[in-house]
Amino acid sequence: MTSRNLRDSRLRLVRPRPTVTARRAVSNRRTRPAPRPPEGTPPPSELARQARELLADAVRVARWAAAARDTAAGPAARERAAAALELTPDQVSAGWDRARLAGLVELHGDIARPGWRLNVWDRDDTAVLRGWVALFDAWSLVHPAPADVAPAAVAEVVEAVPQVLSLLQLSAGPVLVPALLDLLQQRVAELREERCEVAYGPQPDPAATAESDVPLSALLDWALEGLAAVGALTLGPDQATLTPLGNWAVWVKLEQICVAAQSPAGHIEQPAEDMLRGCARLSPGPARDEYRAWLAARTVSSAVAELLAAARGEDALLRGLAFEALRVVGGPAEAGVRAAAEEPSLRPYALLWLAEYEGADPEDTAEVLTREEATWLWVDTAAAVADHGETALLVRHLDSAVQGTVPALLDEIRAVGHPRTVQVLVALAAAHPDPALAKAVRRAAFQVHTGGA
């Protein structure tokens, strides 16, 4: 075959999978075996059955809203839903709130659409359990705090509740409320001491951080009632007991934290860039567990901002991993990702994220990118592979290009102006086994470097 025929040979057209390609560059570490839940924990199928029962009204309301393309949010909509479902308006309102918190329904303007969990609700136990855990995490929204309680006091109790849940989980049975109150008081005192350790800068407004007049015992009652409302525990005379679902959820969260804390980088305490770098060698499932543990230790807004800051760095691999972590964040990251879509270096990743979030088939999300954006993403992914992967993988990355021929690919690579274009072409030329193709790629690298045509 002549060099001209080789350069004009067609590339195999496949769906570009930039994150998968970049991750393969560093995925060479064995994954750890999955930990086993505590003895006596029901199997996932039974836990999912219990979660379906707890969310039955929410599922009914979500399906009605999706079919009617209504929101079930206003008084008139609640009345329509109540008549159709034979529920009271209050039941519809509660079901609608739970459906949104559990990810069963998504709002697009004034139109409700079924969330992916709703679409697989009857056949996917994992989706059901994840939906219930999302509701469990939002217990303080399901059961709002009394209006006369200072927001700072509410925030302290919400932050201290994981310790209360840990005691319930370790006790493996009923725990007296006075014991829970003693633990809550200790944890809140620690939080207040940490808050007072700020030695420099302007002091906060005393009115904003004043201790609430409402005793902690009342706030503990509120927290226990909220956790009971989502099915995480049951309340008896002066005692509380985790339900099987609640016990399993607390165990899962403790395992996530332990896994992250035991990892080489100490992910849970590390900044986003170090956390992503430490997760790079994990396969997607364990990596998502790491992301969840890291996210659980931060507010959503600060975590999203930190991940986007890491994505703006020079390491293309971290850019892709940052958006993987943002997929774990889900809906709360939407505003930040939409803003990131205005930045050229983040735009392709952000557009793919938004397409998946809005329900597009993962195999079709690449269609939201223009030819230039897809080419930019190809170069960015190639840079990740060149920095972290094997030469054979860089050669195979050619197959994921959207262009039909090597000359077309090289022409469009030169046009998009990616800052790593020269380095990527040089690495590809050095890696490719075919002399004629390597020569063409080297020529293109030289032309980009010198500004030639």
Side-chain angles (χ1 to χ4, degrees):
M1 180 181 292
T2 66
S3 61
R4 176 179 176 82
N5 289 338
L6 179 63
R7 289 196 300 271
D8 291 342
S9 63
R10 302 289 295 183
L11 292 174
R12 179 168 57 89
L13 296 178
V14 298
R15 298 287 185 190
R17 300 296 299 276
T19 303
V20 173
T21 302
R23 182 176 284 285
R24 284 175 184 160
V26 291
S27 294
N28 60 6
R29 193 171 78 185
R30 291 183 180 179
T31 57
R32 56 179 67 87
R36 294 182 177 274
E39 186 177 353
T41 302
S45 58
E46 171 59 19
L47 292 171
R49 185 197 66 76
Q50 296 176 18
R52 287 187 177 99
E53 184 177 331
L54 283 165
L55 286 165
D57 283 352
V59 170
R60 293 181 64 198
V61 173
R63 286 176 172 160
W64 175 87
R69 299 176 69 81
D70 209 337
T71 64
R78 283 198 295 270
E79 292 292 343
R80 290 193 296 271
L85 300 174
E86 298 183 350
L87 298 171
T88 67
D90 286 345
Q91 288 174 319
V92 170
S93 181
W96 172 251
D97 288 342
R98 289 170 180 244
R100 292 195 64 191
L101 293 171
L104 301 176
V105 67
E106 298 173 356
L107 279 181
H108 297 266
D110 294 330
I111 297 176
R113 294 180 185 173
W116 70 271
R117 287 175 181 147
L118 184 64
N119 290 329
V120 299
W121 191 255
D122 294 328
R123 65 178 186 272
D124 191 334
D125 289 347
T126 299
V128 171
L129 290 174
R130 288 178 177 173
W132 181 81
V133 168
L135 182 69
F136 166 69
D137 288 339
W139 66 267
S140 61
L141 301 179
V142 173
H143 185 62
D148 58 345
V149 180
V154 173
E156 288 174 341
V157 171
V158 172
E159 190 172 352
V161 158
Q163 278 70 28
V164 173
L165 290 169
S166 296
L167 175 59
L168 285 163
Q169 200 265 346
L170 292 171
S171 299
V175 178
L176 294 176
V177 170
L180 298 175
L181 178 59
D182 182 59
L183 177 62
L184 180 66
Q185 289 171 334
Q186 292 180 38
R187 181 56 183 148
V188 168
E190 292 172 357
L191 293 172
R192 289 173 180 169
E193 183 177 353
E194 292 169 4
R195 188 181 65 201
C196 293
E197 287 178 354
V198 179
Y200 303 101
Q203 296 301 307
D205 180 2
T209 58
E211 297 180 11
S212 174
D213 292 334
V214 177
L216 277 178
S217 59
L219 290 174
L220 175 62
D221 290 341
W222 160 71
L224 295 177
E225 289 166 3
L227 292 163
V230 298
L233 53 80
T234 57
L235 297 176
D238 205 30
Q239 65 182 25
T241 310
L242 283 178
T243 63
L245 269 174
N247 184 66
W248 168 80
V250 175
W251 170 79
V252 167
K253 291 182 178 299
L254 288 173
E255 280 298 317
Q256 289 173 355
I257 293 171
C258 290
V259 165
Q262 292 170 3
S263 60
H267 300 149
I268 196 170
E269 298 177 355
Q270 295 295 320
E273 184 173 333
D274 293 341
M275 180 273 294
L276 294 171
R277 205 176 300 280
C279 292
R281 295 184 182 276
L282 298 177
S283 59
R288 283 191 292 269
D289 290 340
E290 301 278 357
Y291 301 150
R292 292 189 186 99
W294 185 85
L295 293 166
R298 290 156 179 79
T299 63
V300 172
S301 59
S302 65
V304 170
E306 200 173 336
L307 288 169
L308 289 173
R312 295 185 184 99
E314 296 182 358
D315 193 329
L317 177 63
L318 297 192
R319 196 158 18 256
L321 295 179
F323 277 86
E324 279 193 22
L326 288 167
R327 285 179 175 85
V328 174
V329 177
E334 181 182 6
V337 174
R338 287 195 183 280
E342 301 302 318
E343 303 177 40
S345 65
L346 303 185
R347 181 171 177 79
Y349 295 95
L351 292 178
L352 292 175
W353 189 100
L354 291 167
E356 292 181 21
Y357 174 69
E358 291 170 357
D361 190 311
E363 293 297 324
D364 298 329
T365 52
E367 296 177 3
V368 304
L369 302 181
T370 66
R371 182 78 162 230
E372 293 76 13
E373 290 162 351
T375 302
W376 195 100
L377 184 59
W378 187 94
V379 179
D380 206 49
T381 305
V385 177
D387 289 343
H388 300 279
E390 300 175 355
T391 56
L393 185 59
L394 185 59
V395 173
R396 291 198 299 272
H397 184 51
L398 273 173
D399 291 342
S400 68
V402 297
Q403 289 76 13
T405 65
V406 172
L409 172 63
L410 296 178
D411 287 343
E412 294 185 31
I413 285 176
R414 287 194 292 261
V416 297
H418 192 288
R420 295 291 304 280
T421 297
V422 173
Q423 293 93 328
V424 164
L425 292 177
V426 169
L428 182 58
H432 207 284
D434 187 274
L437 193 147
K439 181 179 178 181
V441 174
R442 276 195 300 272
R443 183 185 301 114
F446 178 77
Q447 291 170 345
V448 173
H449 179 64
T450 60

